[in-house]
Amino acid sequence: MACRVKVVGQVERVDGASLSYAEFVRRFMASNRPVVLTGLTSSWRACKDWTLSGPGDRRRPNLGFFTENFPSPLVQVADCSSRDFTDQKRLEMSMQEFIDHWVRGAHRGSSDGSLLYLKDWHFVKEYPDYIAYTTPTFFVDDWLNMYLDSHPIHRDSDIANHKNEINCSDYRFVYMGGKGTWTPLHADVFRSYSWSANVCGRKQWLFLPPSQSHCIFDRNMRSSVYNLHDDVSEKQFPEFSKTEWLECIQEQNEIIFVPSGWYHQVHNLEDTISINHNWFNAYNLHWVWNLLYEDYKVAKEYIEDIRDICDDFEGLCQRNLAANTGMNFYDFFVFIVRFALANVIELYHLQQPEVATLSTETVHHLVYNLTSIRNVASKMATTEAFTTENHLCSISEDNRSAFSNIKQILEEESFRRLSMTLSKAYDHIDRGQRSVKSSTSYLKGCSSVICLKSDCNVVDHITSLVDEVCGPEDLVRLIDSALSDG
């Protein structure tokens, strides 16, 4: 495909089977660098069920399998030939209608000139009993999807409408599209990481480092380049000619890791099926906060002229932020409070004598997590949203109760599910790093898989540190106490 940008390098390719978790973190996740990983998908059911033999060792989509086995009522489809503001026009249709359109286009070209690309299909949520794939170890520290499996992203009734909750149910997707379908230039939702595995097909990726992201915007930093393969107006985007890109041709069975803040555009060079997750954790939590804060400033500036006549100006800013970005400060604060508590639980158990055989890497991991949350909470404490007057009037009771009463949170079934999932993930990572079998027990009395006591007193321990979190300052104090206690 002809390219109008200056490509200065290729994305590194690494054998995932020989890469340790610690090395992946150091070389790619912590340093925020893209990488293509090979050798990780051979056992996936999706690679067998969803594909048919093609030329040579190539595979092609088994479209009939989808219509027979996954008759989703409606799927979301992008019309790649039609722009809608900064994205492609979205349609809803049945799986059968989408497959029929794809097959017709393959035989004689699309009758209406449209190229349809199935995107953002919440496959795991819709078909939880069909285990299409196993998330590679490198990506299991996924706070976003852990949280959404047990918690709503929004708690305010005026934000948490039914359609919103479906769209935010998780960030694990299947994409399906014929040759020529594509995704416009963008950075990922929440400035999350993402990983994308090609079950079959080939993709071209073009990546722009975050240090150059300002170059794809206009002078007002409002409008950005839509398609790298169009003629980009030098007058509208005067810095664009300075950009330098990395390229990757992703083959079938390869997984690409997309770091935070890297703008990218993707083209399907063949008929392609891919599995995609968006996710974040302690290593890119600051990216999420920075995006929220920048989008908050824009939302606030937009309605600044009605501040004096608005009964709850800050509350309106937060509602607009949630609508535009996908969450607001209060949603995010509930999120980090609960992950702080889950990490404190794990750290507490690792410090007990009977668990002393576990690796020091896990302890360092937990300390890093808590330090990252603390840094974000410290920044949140300085915002107008958490000043005393706004704290009292703008935070709903649903949000307040979701982060304030520590004992109540620790006893909630939703929190226990979150904490157990985090604990299992870190146990899995730890066992992989040490190449030993787990010897831990799974006791119902505690939400940590490494707890070896039937009379665990972790709840009393945590509430002795801080029994109530009224705002970011209290969360900072809780984390400082937990870290100094160890």
Side-chain angles (χ1 to χ4, degrees):
M1 175 174 289
C3 186
R4 298 176 182 272
V5 300
K6 181 181 179 182
V7 174
V8 297
Q10 298 292 312
V11 175
E12 185 176 358
R13 219 173 222 92
V14 174
D15 175 15
S18 62
L19 184 69
S20 71
Y21 182 82
E23 190 176 7
F24 172 76
V25 170
R26 179 181 59 82
R27 290 174 58 186
F28 305 110
M29 190 153 65
S31 61
N32 207 48
R33 295 286 300 176
V35 64
V36 175
L37 299 171
T38 63
L40 297 176
T41 66
S42 59
S43 64
W44 286 7
R45 185 178 179 184
C47 293
K48 301 174 178 65
D49 288 356
W50 298 4
T51 66
L52 297 169
S53 296
D57 62 351
R58 307 298 299 174
R59 307 290 292 178
R60 57 189 176 87
N62 184 356
L63 300 180
F65 186 85
F66 286 88
T67 56
E68 292 171 12
N69 294 277
F70 309 124
S72 297
L74 291 174
V75 291
Q76 186 176 137
V77 174
D79 182 351
C80 297
S81 59
S82 180
R83 180 173 177 175
D84 186 16
F85 297 99
T86 60
D87 199 0
Q88 295 160 336
K89 182 180 179 181
R90 297 299 177 108
L91 312 168
E92 284 189 336
M93 60 180 62
S94 69
M95 176 62 75
Q96 185 67 61
E97 289 173 323
F98 170 70
I99 297 296
D100 287 346
H101 185 283
W102 188 342
V103 172
R104 284 198 307 271
H107 284 311
R108 60 179 187 272
S110 178
S111 58
D112 61 1
S114 60
L115 274 173
L116 300 187
Y117 192 3
L118 187 155
K119 293 184 177 183
D120 301 335
W121 182 19
H122 296 267
F123 182 86
V124 172
K125 284 287 186 179
E126 286 195 36
Y127 299 99
D129 296 329
Y130 181 94
I131 310 302
Y133 59 96
T134 302
T135 301
T137 301
F138 305 123
F139 314 131
V140 298
D141 190 15
D142 175 352
W143 292 7
L144 178 58
N145 288 298
M146 285 185 200
Y147 187 78
L148 292 173
D149 282 343
S150 54
H151 292 72
I153 195 72
H154 308 297
R155 291 173 184 267
D156 288 343
S157 57
D158 55 349
I159 298 174
N161 60 69
H162 177 64
K163 185 174 182 180
N164 203 342
E165 292 309 291
I166 291 174
N167 291 338
C168 297
S169 62
D170 72 338
Y171 286 87
R172 294 174 289 224
F173 306 117
V174 168
Y175 280 44
M176 298 172 58
K179 178 180 178 179
T181 52
W182 62 291
T183 297
L185 184 63
H186 69 287
D188 283 331
V189 61
F190 303 135
R191 295 304 177 266
S192 60
Y193 297 138
S194 65
W195 63 267
S196 179
N198 274 2
V199 175
C200 63
R202 302 170 75 232
K203 294 186 179 189
Q204 180 204 47
W205 296 73
L206 291 167
F207 287 100
L208 184 70
S211 61
Q212 299 180 43
S213 61
H214 63 283
C215 296
I216 62 169
F217 283 84
D218 62 12
R219 289 181 174 85
N220 299 318
M221 295 299 289
R222 290 288 186 265
S223 177
S224 63
V225 173
Y226 174 75
N227 183 3
L228 297 176
H229 297 282
D230 285 343
D231 287 322
V232 176
S233 168
E234 185 176 350
K235 182 177 180 180
Q236 185 178 7
F237 304 105
E239 300 292 307
F240 180 75
S241 61
K242 300 177 181 178
T243 57
E244 296 182 334
W245 301 75
L246 295 183
E247 183 188 33
C248 168
I249 304 299
Q250 181 190 15
E251 303 290 347
Q252 67 182 19
N253 300 326
E254 293 185 338
I255 301 176
I256 192 161
F257 167 66
V258 181
S260 290
W262 285 67
Y263 276 80
H264 51 283
Q265 184 165 318
V266 190
H267 287 256
N268 290 328
L269 305 179
E270 299 175 354
D271 292 355
T272 302
I273 301 174
S274 63
I275 293 166
N276 309 273
H277 286 205
N278 292 99
W279 54 296
F280 53 80
N281 57 34
Y283 286 95
N284 63 340
L285 196 67
H286 64 286
W287 278 94
V288 183
W289 167 247
N290 289 343
L291 175 70
L292 285 173
Y293 185 63
E294 291 303 313
D295 284 0
Y296 165 77
K297 289 192 295 185
V298 172
K300 184 177 174 183
E301 179 185 357
Y302 191 73
I303 59 172
E304 186 66 41
D305 57 345
I306 66 167
R307 177 191 286 268
D308 293 340
I309 60 173
C310 186
D311 292 336
D312 182 12
F313 179 76
E314 184 59 37
L316 181 58
C317 290
Q318 294 300 326
R319 287 191 292 276
N320 290 347
L321 178 62
N324 295 333
T325 307
M327 72 169 92
N328 61 28
F329 286 7
Y330 305 137
D331 300 325
F332 188 57
F333 188 60
V334 173
F335 179 98
I336 65 172
V337 165
R338 289 175 176 243
F339 272 98
L341 292 172
N343 277 276
V344 169
I345 288 172
E346 287 302 289
L347 186 60
Y348 168 81
H349 286 102
L350 284 171
Q351 292 165 344
Q352 304 309 302
E354 62 271 17
V355 195
T357 56
L358 285 168
S359 72
T360 56
E361 285 91 345
T362 305
V363 175
H364 293 155
H365 190 167
L366 296 169
V367 170
Y368 182 89
N369 290 351
L370 289 167
T371 302
S372 176
I373 295 172
R374 185 197 186 282
N375 291 340
V376 168
S378 296
K379 293 177 181 177
M380 295 186 80
T382 65
T383 64
E384 185 176 348
F386 287 98
T387 58
T388 302
E389 61 271 20
N390 282 307
H391 192 209
L392 292 174
C393 69
S394 297
I395 301 179
S396 68
E397 186 54 40
D398 287 335
N399 275 326
R400 194 193 317 276
S401 63
F403 64 69
S404 59
N405 189 320
I406 299 302
K407 190 172 190 298
Q408 178 179 304
I409 293 170
L410 295 174
E411 293 174 348
E412 284 179 12
E413 180 59 30
S414 59
F415 173 77
R416 290 173 62 81
R417 284 177 58 198
L418 172 67
S419 184
M420 181 63 79
T421 303
L422 186 81
S423 183
K424 288 179 179 178
Y426 292 166
D427 184 54
H428 173 74
I429 291 170
D430 180 72
R431 285 186 284 118
Q433 291 186 113
R434 297 186 297 134
S435 300
V436 298
K437 292 184 177 180
S438 172
S439 60
T440 58
S441 61
Y442 294 76
L443 300 178
K444 293 182 178 179
C446 182
S447 59
S448 172
V449 301
I450 59 174
C451 179
L452 300 176
K453 292 183 177 180
S454 57
D455 57 345
C456 178
N457 64 346
V458 67
V459 173
D460 292 338
H461 168 73
I462 293 177
T463 53
S464 72
L465 301 176
V466 172
D467 63 351
E468 187 176 40
V469 172
C470 295
E473 300 95 332
D474 292 334
L475 180 56
V476 169
R477 189 159 56 252
L478 168 62
I479 293 172
D480 286 347
S481 298
L483 294 178
S484 63
D485 190 62

